[in-house]
Structure formats: C-alpha cells, structure tokens
Amino acid sequence: MPPLSDDDAASTELLPGPVRPATATAESFALSVMAGPDEGRRFTVAPGLPSRVLAGTSPACDIPLTDRLVSRRHAAFELAGARLRVTDLGSTNGTFVQGIRVGDAYLQGSELVRIGETVLRVEALGLTQAAELSPAVQFGRLLGASEEMRRLYPLCERLAASSVPVVIEGETGTGKEVLAEALHEQGPRAAGPFVVFDCTAVPPTLVESALFGHERGAFTGANETRRGVFEEAHGGTLLLDEIGDLDLSLQAKLLRAIQRSEVQRVGSSRWIRVDIRVLAATRRDLEREIQAGRFRDDLFFRLAVARIELPPLRKRRGDVTVLAHHFFQQLAGRGAPFPQGFGERLEDYDWPGNVRELYNAVARRVALGEAAPIETTRAGLASPGAPAPASTRGGAEPGTSGDIVEEILALNLPLPRARERIVDHFERRYVQRVLAQHGGNVSNAAAASGIARRYFQILRARRST
C-alpha cells in the first residue's frame, strides 16, 4: 500500500465527520469447555483487543486447546453487534454448531459448538463497556479512520516502542510493508536503516547469499565480497516480507541467525555480530503452513512474539472513501476537485487487491479521466472509472493525455492490453516528471509521490526499460 507522505498533516480533512473516542457498550460472551481434554476451562470474548479470538492447538491461540482432533488454528470467534460470530479457519475436522457443520455462523447464546472432541457452550454475558477507540486516523504512514483500524493503533504504538519480533498478517495489498516501516519510524531505531527482504523476489539458490552475504570467490559469479541484508540492517530493522514463501531448507539458518544475533557469510568461517529488530510479513496462514510441513514451528514461535492482523479493505467501513480522496489529492494535486460520483462507485467494489488496488484505480482515474475502468461488485452498475454517457460527459480531466489515448484506441487492442499501455505511458511520464522536480533524488521523489521508496525504485526501473 502506498504510504502517507511525510507532510500530510491534512489527512483528517478527508474524513466525513469528526473522529472521537467510542465508548459504547457491547455484548460479551463466555465459552465454557463442556467436554473434551480441556473440560472445565472457560474463556471470555469481550470488546477490545484482539479483534478476533482464535481457538486451536497452537500456543499462539487465544483459546489454546490440547484436543488432538483440533487444528492449530481451528476457528475464530469475534463480536458482531449483539451476536458472536464463529468462523471455521479451514480446519481438518470442521466446526459444528448444534450438530450442523458450518463455515460461518452467528450465535446469540446457549448454543453448543463442537471442534474436534471439544464441546464449547456459548453464554451471553450481557453488555460490557467497550474499550475506548483511538481518536487517531493514522499510525505513521498508515492511514485509516475505520473502527477496525482505530482498534489497532494503540497496539501498534506499544509495539513500536518495543524491540520484540512481530509477525504482520494480512491479504496482499493491505499495507503490511507500510505498517512495518511505521513501526520502525515510530520506534527507538528510527535513526537506523529500514531494510526489506522480499522472500519471493530472489531465486532460491541466491537467498542465503542475499540474507547473510558472501565472500569473494564463494561461488561462481561471486566476484566481490558483499554484505547481506542482516548486516545492512545493523542498528535498525529488517523486514522479512512474505516469510511464508521462504524455502524450508533455509529456515533453520534464518532461525539460527535470529537466535544468535550473528551471521556467517557464504564462504566464510567468521561469525559477524548484528543488532537488528526483525519484523516478518505474510499473506499466508503460517499455522496451516506448519501443519503442511512447509514452515518450521520453532521459527514461527521465534518470530511471532507479537502478531498484528491487518483487515482487508472490504472490512474497513468508510476507509475506501477516505483513502480515495487522499490518493487523489496526492496524484492530482490538493486543489483538484474529486470527481462527482467516483467515490460512490468505488464503495460498490470488494477490492480483492485491497489498498494497493484502490491506489492503482485512483491513479488510472487521474491519468485517464472517465476512460479508466475497474470492476464493480454488483452487476448492472457503472464501474468506478467507466465512461459516462456522451450526453453527460464533460471535457478531459486533469492528467488525461487525449492524444495517447486516441493512438492506443486506434490499435483496436483487447481492453486489458490497451489499458496496460495507457497506464505504462502515464507511469513513465509521472516518474520522469517527479524525478526532474527533485533533482533525481529517489527518496524525495518517492515521498512526494506518496509511495514507498522500494516501490518507486521498482517502478523507475520497470519504466526505464
């Protein structure tokens, strides 16, 4: 997800109304184990953190069970107004409510929920004073005014002040890297480097060298000694992005490096001491990866001292409009009027690509005006960027290049290819322009663009070829 620019002090101007702490009461529930190995235990689901209570055999679960027929992360319980929602998390043996297998169900109290050989009785406890929501609408570079995001900010502040490893979970495009950078920038290591290692971007044969470095002559093509990302992050923070994709054979070496706080370059017998904070991000369910034998249990527990689950955009009520206005002002300029009706059409989409997809949709709108299409969730409604009827269509909006659009349309290409060419043209011109405005300084250009430095560098390299 593109981050907030450093000088964005006007984020709250985008909000539909004042943000104030929420202190409303909410229903709370108790889960009592009526049968199974853990009979007699009792757990409470009440307003406040965490947003979801997980039940399973993993020690990291909020409801840890010893039932051998229960999966590591078997089911989730979360408050939903006056009801309790239970969701099966793809367990092996299923989740049953009143004897019926369910994927997702709403409970009111008095129901029996069976997972494995464990039977849980649901009891409604009545109204409880909800924890006060943060009045903040952003944490560092991470923006969001929804209740779902505001529940996370106090936890983020506490974790930023510490040095413990954190696993950041969430779907693709939810802003995991932006949150990791915010944890770094808001913490005591802010003056140190923030280094990102993408576990999906390096060939398996080169991952060890990229992580730990290598000596000259260590392997074919190693013409000089190079430091790995552990050494580059010394004194700062290392984000292991998409840690769930790291090859199993390298996970033991990674665990050893984290435990010992020292690394050994490929081709060297010398150990090098490093002082780093490790953050890990993943779109995968690591508990399921452990069950499948693709991720080491001991590495997971070393990394998951704390965990944050970023909600998908479709569950962040109201944030689509807030983010769309923010991105539009960044890309089109603060004085540019937000297109009439554009926000309503954006709200009608589920955004499977989350905030990153929303940013791209707004960028296309700035570049192409009403010719920029995206899909909508409901059939029969105009898409957020679909052309308006000729009778109501006005002139070209700021940022639209009518000539290039006509040239590409004249090629009669399929829609995906035509759209890709137009976006490529816009991104190339945008990168050239913002770099020229900042004297070729990539860091300043990225900040002014409102996107992460690493993404700007990727965009620059891709558009220069």
Side-chain angles (χ1 to χ4, degrees), residues 116-368:
E117 295 180 332
T118 298
V119 177
L120 301 165
R121 181 167 60 85
V122 179
E123 178 187 354
L125 299 179
L127 296 177
T128 303
Q129 186 73 24
E132 190 174 274
L133 288 178
S134 169
V137 297
Q138 65 186 89
F139 171 71
R141 295 168 179 258
L142 191 70
L143 175 67
S146 62
E147 289 187 11
E148 292 77 10
M149 293 300 291
R150 288 163 59 202
R151 286 194 190 99
L152 290 179
Y153 295 152
L155 174 62
C156 293
E157 291 170 0
R158 292 195 296 271
L159 290 178
S162 74
S163 294
V164 300
V166 180
V167 170
I168 304 171
E169 301 169 288
E171 297 177 6
T172 298
T174 49
K176 297 185 292 293
E177 183 176 334
V178 176
L179 173 56
E181 192 164 5
L183 291 172
H184 168 75
E185 292 175 343
Q186 302 295 313
R189 293 176 176 264
F194 176 74
V195 179
V196 179
F197 178 74
D198 188 341
C199 297
T200 65
V202 180
T205 55
L206 299 178
V207 171
E208 183 175 2
S209 171
L211 283 171
F212 310 126
H214 64 256
E215 297 292 340
R216 180 180 179 183
F219 51 83
T220 302
N223 299 321
E224 59 182 357
T225 297
R226 285 194 177 180
R227 299 188 306 165
V229 292
F230 270 78
E231 289 184 71
E232 291 176 355
H234 180 71
T237 303
L238 172 61
L239 170 63
L240 299 170
D241 198 15
E242 296 301 349
I243 186 69
D245 291 81
L246 186 65
D247 190 82
L248 189 63
S249 62
L250 287 167
Q251 292 176 22
K253 294 182 179 180
L254 175 62
L255 174 63
R256 184 164 57 248
I258 295 173
Q259 286 178 328
R260 298 177 58 171
S261 295
E262 55 185 14
V263 297
Q264 189 179 57
R265 293 176 182 168
V266 177
S268 173
S269 59
R270 183 171 65 93
W271 289 95
I272 301 171
R273 192 77 178 169
V274 291
D275 172 26
I276 62 173
R277 182 187 190 181
V278 177
L279 305 176
T282 180
R283 71 188 186 285
R284 297 184 182 274
D285 183 342
L286 292 184
E287 302 276 6
R288 192 171 298 172
E289 294 298 298
I290 292 171
Q291 281 185 292
R294 293 188 293 264
F295 201 82
R296 291 180 62 106
D297 189 285
D298 48 2
L299 177 58
F300 172 77
F301 289 114
R302 184 70 186 184
L303 292 171
V305 176
R307 298 166 74 173
I308 298 179
E309 184 177 359
L310 282 177
L313 187 55
R314 62 183 174 275
K315 292 187 177 181
R316 295 170 53 178
R317 290 162 292 185
D319 276 351
V320 169
T321 299
V322 171
L323 290 165
H325 277 81
H326 173 75
F327 295 148
F328 193 87
Q329 288 187 6
Q330 281 188 331
L331 294 167
R334 288 202 179 276
F338 192 76
Q340 185 175 6
F342 185 44
E344 289 78 3
R345 294 196 293 269
L346 291 175
E347 289 283 0
D348 190 58
Y349 185 51
D350 277 344
W351 300 106
N354 292 295
V355 182
R356 184 180 295 129
E357 184 184 6
L358 174 62
Y359 177 84
N360 291 338
V362 175
R364 284 197 297 270
R365 181 62 187 244
V366 172
L368 310 178

